Every structure is written in C-alpha cells, then in structure tokens.
Amino acid sequence: MQSSMTTVEGMTRSAAQAGRGFRADVQGMRAIAVGLVLLYHAGVPFVSGGYIGVDVFFVISGYLISSHLLDSLQRNGRIDFGEFYARRVRRILPASLVVAVLTAAAAVVVVPPLGLERVLKDGLATILYVPNVWFAIQNTNYLADHSPSPYQHYWSLGVEEQFYLGWPLLLMVLVLLVRRRRGLVIGAIAVFAAGSFALGIVVTPMNQPYAFFLLPTRAWELLLGALVAALLLRRALAIPNWVAAIGSWCGLAVILVCSVAYDDQTVFPGTAALAPALGAALMILFGSVSAAGGPGMALATRPMQFIGLISYSLYLVHWPLLVLSQAAVGEQHPLDTGIKILIGVVLAVPAAWLLFRFVETPLRSPSWLTKRRPRVTLVGILALTMALALSFGVTIAWSSTRDVPAGPPVSVAPSTPQVPPHATEVLPSNLRPKLAAVADDVPRLYGDGCHNDFDRAEVQECRYGAKNAHTLVALFGDSHAAQWFPALADWAETNTGVGIDVYTKSSCPSANLTVLDKGVPYVSCDRWRDAVLAALVAAAPDVVVISNYSAYQLPGVSGDKRETAWGEGVEETVKQLEAAGSQVLLISDTPRFESPPPTCISGNPTSVKECAGPRADVLDEPFLMAERHHVEQADGTVLGLSDYICDDQWCPVIVDDLLVYRDVNHLTTPFVSYLAPALKPVLDELVAGGATSTP
C-alpha cells in the first residue's frame, strides 16, 4: 500500500473563495487531513489508513481552484491565464523550493554516501515539478520502501501542479462549448471524473505505482471537488439545516472510518480511494449550509483553524524532518513511535509556522511583484528553476564521483564456508564487490535476459552449462532463487554434462498461491508460474532447485494463517514436481534487513558491526521451520544455510573481504559463490539419487 499527502490550494482570510466568504469548515478539514497524515507517518497504530488525507486534500484543492475559475468565467467570460498562473506560482513554489533546497543541504550532511546520489536525483525531479512521474518510473512503493526518500511526499504537489497547468484551459473551452449552461458544465465535469476514476480502477492491478502517482488516474479526485464547486456556484444548497448537518457528519465519519479501517494491505488507489474522496465532497457540499449541530463549529475552533492555516507548510516540513532524522541516527536504529511523534508532529508545527510566516505568507502577494505584469513572476520562476536544477545536477555529479571511505585490507575469503562466519568489523580496501558497484552486482542471467521482470509472463528458454545435458537441473522461483545461480553455475562447471535451465521472475515465488505486489494481486505471476510448472512437469528435470522471498503479503491472509497458507502453497508445488519424477531442493530464505547494509556500511566504514542485524530480527526462523515441514511432507529436500551467514546472535554484513548483501534482502554474487561448496554435497547426492534435508 502506498501513501503521501497532497499540498492544497490555500484558503485563508486573505484569499477567500471567489463569490463567497471564507469557509472555516474547509480550513478545519485541512487540519483533519494533515493531522491524519502526520499521525500515520509517525507510526501511530490506530491511524493505519491515515494516508487517505491525500484524497481529502485533492478534493479540497479541486473545489477551491475550480470555484475561483468558474466564478471568473461567469463574471468576465474568460480566465486571465497569466494572472492565474502567476498567483499559483507565488502561492505554491516559494515554500516548496525552500524546503527542497534545505532538504538537499541536510541530506548532504546526514545521508550515507551510498544513498546520497539517489536522494539528490529525487530532489532534481522535485525541482523540475515531475516528482510523481519520477517515482512512478522508479516503481516506488511509498509505504513499504525500506529507505524512503525525503522528497517522496512531493509527488502530490506534482499531481496538483500538472492539474493546474491544464485544467483552466480545459474548463474554459468546456464552458464556451456548452455556452455556459450550468447543467451541461456539471455533466461534463462528472464525465471527466468518471473516466479518470475508471482508468484508475483499470491501471491499479496492472501497474499500481502508475495508478498511485500519475495525474490521469488521480485527476478524478480533483474533479470531484470541481463538481462540488460547479454545484455550489453562486447558489446555496436548498436543503433543511438538519439534512446538511447529517450530511456533513456522514462525510466526516466516512473519512475517519477509512483512516482506521484501511492499512498498508488495502489495494490503493483503485476503488478504495472513492470512500474518503466522497466523504470530503460531502463535507464541502453540505458544509456550505450553516447548520447548527453539524461539525462546522468544531472545525472553526482556533486550534483547527491554525493547523489548517499552516497545513501546506506543515506537510512540506514534516516528512523531511522524519526521514532525515532517521538518516542521522542510522537506518539500522529505527526511531520509535514516541520519537517520531515528537519530530514529525510536535516539532514540525513550529517549523511549519516559521515557513508560513517568513516564506509562504510574504511571497504570496508581495506588492513589488504583484504590481508588475504576470510574466515577471513566470519568467523569474523559470530562471530560478533552471538555476536550481543546474545546482542539483552539479551536486549529483559530485556525489556520484566521490570515494566511499575504506579501512585497512583484510584476508581473502576462505576456500570453504565457515560456521560461524568470520565477521569483518571495518570496511576492507579489497572488499568484493566494491560498495560503489554493488547496485550492478546481479547474477549474469539478468543481463542475458533470462530473468523475467514484472510484466513478462512467457516461459524462458535459457539453458546454461552443457547444451546436450545428461543431467538437468532447473532453477525456479523469484529473485531469491535467481541469487543462487552463481553457486549452481560453479557446481555445474565441476560436473561435465550438467545443464541448468533457469525459470525466475521478479517477486514471483514458486509457491503455488497468489501473492500481492504493492497491495495488488500479482496476476502476471500466477500466469507465469502455471506455465513454468506445466513445462517442468513435462520435462521432468533431474533436480528442481527452488528458493523464495519469505515475507510476501497474501490477499486476505495474515499472522499464523499466512504461514500456513504459504506452507501449503510450497507443498503443492513440490508435490507436482516430485510426482513428475524430479527431486526438489528448497534453499531456505536468507536474512532480511530493514535498510540496505551497503548504505549503512558507507556511513560506518570503521564500525561495520553497527550495520549487522540481530539474527532474531532479520531471520524469520519460525517461518522457515514451518516451510521446511511442508516441503519434507511432500518428500522434498531442504538446505538451510543460515549458520554460514549468521552466528548465534548476529548476521554480519561483511565476511572476510566479502560484502554479504547487495540490498536489504539479496546476497551478492561473490558471497553466493563463496557458499557454493555448501551446496555441492547436497546437489551431488540428489543427482546420484537422493538426499535428506540439512540444517
């Protein structure tokens, strides 16, 4: 599941809604929305769906901006585009750019060297007003990302900026085409919103990051606000006060229920985004009637008005404060909820007030600028954007070329794996692979096109080793199966006549069950797995080696039930393969860290042990034991290598001169090759006719 919050078009006493006075209830809604997001990001347990604040803000933003545009069209018959865009620039960009620059400066100080380049690239996308597009292309999972970007919350600002760019022109054309007939305008907006919503429903299961981050699949929420604006344009809602009060409370109740009922496993946006967006629309629509007994009085209280007033600045500052504070203490030392509340809520408020008071407010409408033509504002922001983009580009180039600190050289890896492993506590100068190159350290089957990505579902035809093999071994599973390829290849080289067929696909386990990918059922995986199983049953290789990531989310299953469902899925796969005449070897899963060890090492070159993970935390041994039981029930063989990777207490990140992990849960190719001798006797025995499970 993914989340963030959107920045919204301001609505203050100095910037009242066109055609009507200031609406305190809308200001209070902003306070509710930003409060939900802050509590969610701080990890408060009962606000598991607080990310729906983004949807509330999209609706508010669409309502406010469309109210202004529609009023201008009704009064003047046109939109002054220059003035409109100049006001938007002055309203949104000063605070946004100041926070973006300060975030970059802080990141240079606190982010470990190996992670800095990525952060600065995120910042460049933000400066260029396309952070949502950038994060969609990066296939980002906002909520589950192990090392979130301090710029990732800017995605929502990108959506709004892109909406502001095209909506005024589209709305003016629409109004002129229908000759200002209000009913037709309302109908057309509703059609546009319905089309965008339908697109979001279609795209969410196909490519969830695209559905989450991009304007076409998010525009319906802003258009829902525009629809409310069109309904209320220069006319009051003709309903009794008691109906308005009930309607407003119902809208608020829907928002609050979603904030506690949704969680990271909720498929989002899809249809799930409809409820909070409708809740916000109901509050705005019925809140236009001053109804005693409605939520308006509570929303109009001074604390709610204050938070609503600074909500844009508060949203901008709270996320970098949280992310950079975590980076400062090290990702390996997660901040507890109390500390995150202190930083991301308590301290964020005065920081946001300072930004609001000294940046947002004075630059919204300075006389020295508003008295000039709009083009002065627009040309000025273009020049500033280019200058900042150039500065970010130079900083990125610097970060990509600077050396990662290294310690003294240590001995090379031993010829055979050791139990327990020999942990290295300083960064050796002869580290393999080098930290700077670790991102590219993947098994060669990736470069050969033999590892399927998320979209490819066809069965690969990739054989390594002897082409006319008398002994055939198949490697089947996700990227955690693919990581073992170097060890299998090393073993095959010492055995003539051995061929290795590769069937691996990103985030697609060999266990015969549906898994979630970014909260959405992974349909492409199911199709591919079925086809591979059919091919393996038909070919019946001598040995099928499987291995899988052990922390998949399963639809509608959690806790102990997940463990059982997973075990049954693995057992079913093993039974099918064994029944076809193959012997199955499961290599148990490897440790899983909360943050990338290479990044941690780059920030702790003389105290690498700081980056090691407690065995009890990074290795889910009860789960692995349950998986072992199911595989053995199906007459499969299990090979556990945990004792070669971890000692009794810790899982080190460097063993002798070998970097163990390339990211949070994959082993490096040199370390897998180092473990190859531990696989050899088991593979030899299976090829010879049988084997038993090993620890």
Side-chain angles (χ1 to χ4, degrees):
M1 193 49 264
Q2 292 72 21
S3 174
S4 176
M5 187 192 88
T6 182
T7 57
V8 301
E9 170 61 23
M11 180 68 177
T12 68
R13 296 185 185 275
S14 61
Q17 177 193 1
R20 283 177 300 281
F22 167 78
R23 283 189 58 174
D25 62 322
V26 174
Q27 190 82 302
M29 285 178 63
R30 297 173 68 186
I32 290 175
V34 75
L36 290 176
V37 174
L38 264 63
L39 293 175
Y40 171 76
H41 282 160
V44 176
F46 61 84
V47 196
S48 59
Y51 51 81
I52 56 93
V54 64
D55 308 282
V56 175
F57 271 91
F58 275 146
V59 175
I60 295 174
S61 187
Y63 165 72
L64 293 173
I65 197 67
S66 299
S67 294
H68 170 79
L69 293 171
L70 287 168
D71 186 75
S72 177
L73 284 167
Q74 189 174 68
R75 284 187 292 105
N76 306 319
R78 66 184 182 87
I79 296 172
D80 187 335
F81 289 100
E83 182 61 29
F84 170 80
Y85 290 121
R87 283 208 306 266
R88 297 287 70 69
V89 163
R90 294 193 298 267
R91 167 68 181 94
I92 294 173
L93 296 187
S96 169
L97 295 178
V98 166
V99 173
V101 171
L102 292 177
T103 297
V108 170
V109 176
V110 302
V111 173
L114 206 60
L116 181 59
E117 183 180 355
R118 179 182 68 86
V119 169
L120 293 174
K121 287 180 178 179
D122 296 343
L124 177 60
T126 297
I127 291 296
L128 295 175
Y129 316 118
V130 289
N132 57 321
V133 178
W134 170 253
F135 290 124
I137 293 172
Q138 297 298 308
N139 204 33
T140 301
N141 183 352
Y142 187 85
L143 301 186
D145 197 352
H146 296 285
S147 296
S149 169
Y151 290 101
Q152 200 150 332
H153 64 317
Y154 274 92
W155 74 271
S156 52
L157 182 56
V159 169
E160 287 203 5
E161 289 166 340
Q162 292 148 26
F163 179 79
Y164 293 159
L165 192 62
W167 179 235
L169 178 60
L170 179 60
L171 186 60
M172 188 176 77
V173 171
L174 171 64
V175 169
L176 293 177
L177 284 177
V178 301
R179 299 182 180 180
R180 305 185 188 180
R181 283 176 286 189
R182 180 170 173 269
L184 291 179
V185 171
I186 292 172
I189 294 174
V191 169
F192 291 153
S196 172
F197 178 62
L199 181 63
I201 294 175
V202 171
V203 174
T204 295
M206 298 171 58
N207 192 317
Q208 191 273 343
Y210 277 40
F212 186 86
F213 286 116
L214 298 183
L215 175 63
T217 51
R218 285 293 203 168
W220 67 270
E221 297 176 90
L222 292 131
L223 291 170
L224 185 59
L227 187 61
V228 174
L231 288 169
L232 295 177
L233 184 63
R234 291 190 179 275
R235 62 177 65 187
L237 199 61
I239 58 172
N241 284 357
W242 66 270
V243 174
I246 292 175
S248 296
W249 280 116
C250 286
L252 179 58
V254 169
I255 292 170
L256 296 179
V257 167
C258 290
S259 72
V260 298
Y262 288 4
D263 59 24
D264 293 359
Q265 294 193 45
T266 302
V267 178
F268 207 87
T271 58
L274 181 60
L278 284 177
L282 288 175
M283 289 190 70
I284 297 172
L285 182 65
F286 290 111
S288 63
V289 177
S290 298
M297 290 186 63
L299 295 173
T301 58
R302 292 186 65 181
M304 297 294 286
Q305 293 297 291
F306 173 71
I307 296 300
L309 185 65
I310 67 168
S311 59
Y312 177 42
S313 289
L314 184 55
Y315 174 65
L316 286 175
V317 303
H318 89 282
W319 185 244
L321 284 175
L322 281 171
V323 174
L324 295 174
S325 295
Q326 182 64 77
V329 300
E331 297 284 347
Q332 68 276 19
H333 303 298
L335 299 173
D336 62 34
T337 301
I339 297 297
K340 289 197 287 187
I341 291 174
L342 176 64
I343 295 171
V345 180
V346 178
L347 294 181
V349 170
W353 180 84
L354 290 172
L355 183 67
F356 173 81
R357 173 65 178 82
F358 295 105
V359 178
E360 185 181 342
T361 300
L363 293 180
R364 180 183 294 127
S365 54
S367 58
W368 58 269
L369 194 56
T370 55
K371 291 179 180 179
R372 297 174 179 268
R373 292 180 179 273
R375 71 179 64 147
V376 175
T377 297
L378 300 177
V379 171
I381 198 62
L382 178 61
L384 178 61
T385 297
M386 294 176 62
L388 289 176
L390 179 61
S391 299
F392 269 76
V394 170
T395 310
I396 290 169
W398 163 77
S399 68
S400 66
T401 57
R402 66 172 177 161
D403 294 329
V404 176
V410 297
S411 61
V412 298
S415 58
T416 58
Q418 295 183 17
V419 176
H422 176 256
T424 300
E425 298 190 1
V426 296
L427 176 60
S429 59
N430 62 336
L431 184 73
R432 295 183 295 139
K434 296 294 185 184
L435 287 178
V438 70
D440 299 321
D441 180 68
V442 294
R444 61 178 172 139
L445 57 87
Y446 284 78
D448 294 340
C450 291
H451 178 79
N452 279 2
D453 58 19
F454 290 92
D455 297 324
R456 286 180 59 194
E458 65 270 17
V459 178
Q460 304 98 308
E461 295 183 2
C462 290
R463 176 166 296 182
Y464 294 87
K467 297 303 178 183
N468 298 314
H470 60 70
T471 299
L472 189 58
V473 175
L475 179 62
F476 175 32
D478 55 20
S479 59
H480 281 224
Q483 76 178 351
W484 294 109
F485 175 78
L488 290 181
D490 290 350
W491 170 77
E493 288 179 3
T494 64
N495 293 269
T496 57
V498 174
I500 301 174
D501 287 344
V502 172
Y503 306 96
T504 61
K505 177 176 169 66
S506 293
S507 297
C508 185
S510 57
N512 202 351
L513 76 174
T514 298
V515 299
L516 298 178
D517 175 46
K518 299 177 179 67
V520 177
Y522 194 178
V523 179
S524 170
C525 172
D526 291 340
R527 291 199 303 267
W528 175 80
R529 184 194 305 109
D530 290 344
V532 171
L533 278 170
L536 289 173
V537 167
D542 297 278
V543 178
V544 179
V545 178
I546 64 175
S547 189
N548 301 296
Y549 179 63
S550 61
Y552 285 108
Q553 292 182 345
L554 308 181
V557 180
S558 60
D560 293 340
K561 292 182 179 179
R562 187 190 79 90
E563 194 173 281
T564 301
W566 175 266
E568 291 173 349
V570 173
E571 183 174 343
E572 184 178 339
T573 294
V574 175
K575 283 181 176 177
Q576 288 188 46
L577 297 173
E578 292 275 348
S582 299
Q583 296 191 79
V584 179
L585 170 64
L586 169 75
I587 304 178
S588 295
D589 195 21
T590 46
R592 181 177 68 257
F593 286 70
E594 288 297 320
S595 59
T599 302
C600 176
I601 294 168
S602 72
N604 297 274
T606 59
S607 55
V608 170
K609 190 174 181 179
E610 283 285 312
C611 306
R615 179 168 177 150
D617 293 342
V618 302
L619 200 59
D620 191 350
E621 294 188 274
F623 180 91
L624 299 183
M625 290 300 296
E627 182 184 54
R628 170 187 291 268
H629 169 74
H630 283 277
V631 171
E632 291 174 343
Q633 284 285 102
D635 296 326
T637 299
V638 180
L639 174 62
L641 296 172
S642 299
D643 290 342
Y644 294 99
I645 303 173
C646 308
D647 60 29
D648 291 342
Q649 300 294 324
W650 296 90
C651 296
V653 292
I654 298 179
V655 171
D656 292 304
D657 67 335
L658 295 171
L659 179 62
V660 180
Y661 304 94
R662 77 168 188 260
D663 54 26
V664 292
N665 56 51
H666 292 94
L667 304 179
T668 63
T669 55
F671 190 74
V672 170
S673 292
Y674 158 75
L675 292 175
L679 275 73
K680 183 179 186 304
V682 180
L683 290 170
D684 287 343
E685 192 170 351
L686 284 170
V687 169
T692 57
S693 297
T694 61

